[in-house]
Each structure stands twice: as C-alpha cells, then as structure tokens.
Amino acid sequence: MSEIRRKIGIMGGTFDPIHIGHLVTAEAVRIEYSLDKVIFIPAANPPHKQELQVTPAIHRYIMTIMATYSNPYFYVSDIELARPGLSYTIDTVSHLVNQFGAQTDFYFITGADAIQDLPTWEKVDQLLEMCHFIAATRPGCISTLDNVIKHFGLQGRRRIHRLATPELEISSTDIRERVKTGRSIKYIVPESVESYIFKEGLYR
Ligand code: ATP
Ligand code: MG
C-alpha cells in the first residue's frame, strides 16, 4: 500500500502589509500543486531588510490573519515571530519538517523576484533537499529565474519550479507609498486589512 503524503505550502514574507498579490499567488499554487494547506509565515526580522524600517510584527501578524481567515486552506504561523534573532528560511523549514514529520512534502512559495538571490541564502543546498520552490512569475523576472535554476544544476531542475500567476504589479512598497500620499488602496488589499491600516494609522 502506498503511503499518503501530505503537501504543505509555505508562504514567507514581511507582509507589510499583506496584499492580494500574495493571496492570489498562494491560492494559485495551492490549486496547481493540490496542497493540503498553505501556511503564511510573517518574518520577524528579515535578514535582507535589516536596514529598513519594518512595521512592528504584531500589526503584520494581525493583518495576515485577517487577510487569510476566509480561506479554509490558509493558516498563519508565528514561528518566526516567536524566535529571537534573524529569520532564516532554513531554520523555519527545519522546524516545520520536525513538526509535520517525514510524510510531508513542502512547497516554498515565493515571487520570482525574491528567488533571484537564492544562491546566497543560508544553507541553500540543504534547503533545496527539504522543500520545493515554486516561483511565481512577476513582470520582468522570467530570465533571472532560468539563471537561478541553471546555477543549481540537476537539483535546481528537480526542486525549483515556475508558476505563471496573473502578473500582479502589486507590492507592499507601493501600498505604503499610496497610504502615505493619500491615494486609494481599495481592492489591492482585503477590506479588513484596509480598515486595520487606517484604524491603526499605519504607513502615514
Ligand atoms: P515589499 O515591497 O515591502 O518588498 P512585497 O510586496 O515584495 O513587499 P513581501 O512580503 O516582501 O511583499 O513578499 C513576500 C513574498 O511574496 C515574496 O516571495 C515576494 O516575491 C512575493 N510577492 C510579493 N508581491 C507579489 C505579487 N504581486 N505577485 C506574486 N508574488 C508576490
Ligand atoms: Mg519584497
């Protein structure tokens, strides 16, 4: 009898704030790869954003919960928030492998822009053995992704996959800028997130 393997998607990000680009991408990957669930993991202290001002984790965590709540397949984890120090993906994925056991396949969901510096990620060879990477194409990132796959040779071809999602030209940076300059963010973030941003006075 063949064992039944569980498939879990991991969507890491700063989520400052979470927006429909993240949600549409996670849902597309869930369907394409028949994932049992997708876990959103807000980063506490992203290594590549140390020099930037990031909104307190509690706000980003609450907005992520509100944005994902209506999808029965979406969950939010506080593992990176609960762990002191820098957040490395290898530590997060190791934690999940220990938690869910060997019968689980992990799919790390990322925008193609974020995957372009994968070669510099902490313990990346080990990481590629532990999970698949699904790179959602964002405008302008197609050829860069091919270079990343080539860089890792056979392991790259086995473990890094491309998924064309609607090319949403949306970023948290743009949303923060819109709030700051008084422009609308309606329909770019879920309504609950929009209300939260204004009620808490974020990004002004
Ligand atoms: P910022 O502008 O602050 O960098 P962001 O919009 O890129 O924010 P992050 O929290 O940095 O959001 O991204 C988390 C993950 O979601 C990354 O893997 C990123 O590539 C991906 N992502 C972000 N926006 C989109 C989008 N519009 N479509 C697909 N993937 C996206
Ligand atoms: Mg980003």
Side-chain angles (χ1 to χ4, degrees):
M1 206 175 76
S2 66
E3 61 169 342
I4 296 173
R5 297 190 66 82
R6 201 168 21 189
K7 294 166 139 197
I8 296 182
I10 305 168
M11 181 91 195
T14 315
F15 304 132
D16 191 14
I18 188 165
H19 53 67
I20 62 160
H22 301 129
L23 298 165
V24 167
T25 299
E27 181 70 353
V29 176
R30 180 187 76 75
I31 292 167
E32 180 69 22
Y33 289 87
S34 308
L35 304 182
D36 296 297
K37 59 167 119 174
V38 177
I39 306 175
F40 287 70
I41 307 181
N45 201 355
H48 61 290
K49 287 185 177 169
Q50 277 177 87
E51 71 288 359
L52 302 172
Q53 194 68 41
V54 175
T55 302
I58 186 71
H59 289 309
R60 294 183 288 109
Y61 181 60
I62 291 171
M63 290 189 283
T64 305
I65 290 175
M66 291 192 306
T68 53
Y69 197 76
S70 64
N71 188 322
Y73 299 100
F74 286 181
Y75 292 83
V76 183
S77 164
D78 68 352
I79 43 176
E80 293 203 357
L81 304 181
R83 197 172 52 220
L86 298 177
S87 311
Y88 288 111
T89 303
I90 183 74
D91 299 328
T92 302
V93 176
S94 302
H95 180 107
L96 293 172
V97 168
N98 289 334
Q99 185 180 343
F100 288 97
Q103 285 90 278
T104 309
D105 292 324
F106 290 97
Y107 294 76
F108 193 90
I109 305 164
T110 135
D113 64 324
I115 215 173
Q116 65 196 17
D117 37 49
L118 189 64
T120 68
W121 288 22
E122 189 81 358
K123 299 185 183 150
V124 64
D125 290 318
Q126 206 180 320
L127 187 59
L128 281 168
E129 285 309 311
M130 295 164 92
C131 63
H132 292 269
F133 276 82
I134 313 300
T137 50
R138 241 178 169 186
C141 293
I142 308 277
S143 60
T144 344
L145 179 60
D146 286 338
N147 292 338
V148 174
I149 294 174
K150 261 194 214 122
H151 173 93
F152 291 104
L154 179 62
Q155 201 187 29
R157 292 196 297 278
R158 272 180 40 235
R159 297 304 237 177
I160 304 172
H161 319 276
R162 178 202 308 283
L163 184 71
T165 48
E167 301 209 340
L168 292 164
E169 193 70 85
I170 294 172
S171 69
S172 303
T173 303
D174 177 59
I175 292 163
R176 294 192 299 271
E177 193 56 34
R178 281 169 174 271
V179 174
K180 203 171 171 184
T181 54
R183 283 175 295 146
S184 171
I185 55 168
K186 220 170 244 315
Y187 315 123
I188 306 176
V189 296
E191 219 165 84
S192 55
V193 172
E194 184 191 7
S195 308
Y196 188 88
I197 288 170
F198 290 121
K199 186 167 180 187
E200 296 295 328
L202 303 182
Y203 313 127
R204 282 201 301 232

